[in-house]
Amino acid sequence: MKLEWKGVMPAVTTKFTSDDKLDFEMFKLNVDAQLEAGAEGIILGGTLGEASTLLEEEKRELVKQTVQIVNGKVPVIMNIAEQTTRGAIEAANKAEQDGAKGLMMLPPMRYKATDHETIVFFSEVAKNTSLPIMIYNNPVDYKIEVTLDMFEELLKLDNIQAVKESTRDISNITRIKNRFGDRLKILSGVDTLALESLLMGADGWVAGLVDAFPRETVAIYKLAKAGKIQEALDIYRWFLPLLELDITPQLVQNIKLAEVATGLGTEYVRAPRLPLAGAERERVLKVINDSLKNRPVLPEYNEIVSFEAATLL
């Protein structure tokens, strides 16, 4: 399967049972909903996937089970977030062995690497896997920015192909396009800037609230790419209070609570995370419930032809 870095790619949550085991029954229900809505890839093991709390054998089982669930419909992409270059290479190799078709890669964890160290880190992993790679560029949360000059070096490796753009600087998309054209595919990594990013030329959206609202998320993407901007904007404006739940330290708890509200998940998280409680829980529930009361009727978005597709007809 050729991996095309485009469309909505959910960064899915990892589902747990009440006794802290992986819950593949609920996980499959959610992934099936993503596929039915029109997602074009499934991303595992990110922040929303609570990867930092997963055991190595759980990560491997997650990849294997997801590969079975999607059954070749879309690529399975595994996130790589390791402290050492050796560990990142081993994680990439295991993901490839288990059936992943692509990687999303963070810079070194717990060490603020220099530009040169960061380039070497990504490059060594790329040289030791055949899988295509999307670099996760999030200097706000991870304190390392992958600059355009750094990408100039990284793009000498054919399998470094995309960036999850999370700098929060919307003009960075234009800078990337001006410098690299289509060589570096761009996927928005910030829910609250997703429509803006698509309108500036982003190829896709690594989404969070899609876990609870898959159809609305894909509809925004499809409408935007088809030039139906007002229709996309109407949904996006309704969606924004929910999307803001993705940009707080409790994003996992927030989104899992939203998944419960839409029947696509449970609230179980893995310690040290705990379910929301008290006034904050009530605040988040109000955002979710108010939005559900005004949930928009969606157009038949999967029948819409994008500008790109139309030029090929």
Side-chain angles (χ1 to χ4, degrees), residues 52-70:
S52 62
T53 70
L54 297 177
L55 301 174
E56 180 183 328
E57 55 265 31
E58 290 177 320
K59 292 179 183 179
R60 299 198 71 173
E61 187 63 19
L62 199 59
V63 175
K64 292 173 185 176
Q65 290 287 338
T66 309
V67 168
Q68 289 186 21
I69 293 168
V70 304

Side-chain angles (χ1 to χ4, degrees), residues 121-138:
F121 175 79
F122 285 132
S123 298
E124 288 302 307
V125 177
K127 291 173 184 176
N128 283 279
T129 180
S130 66
L131 294 180
I133 293 171
M134 173 170 62
I135 302 294
Y136 186 177
N137 192 18
N138 186 348

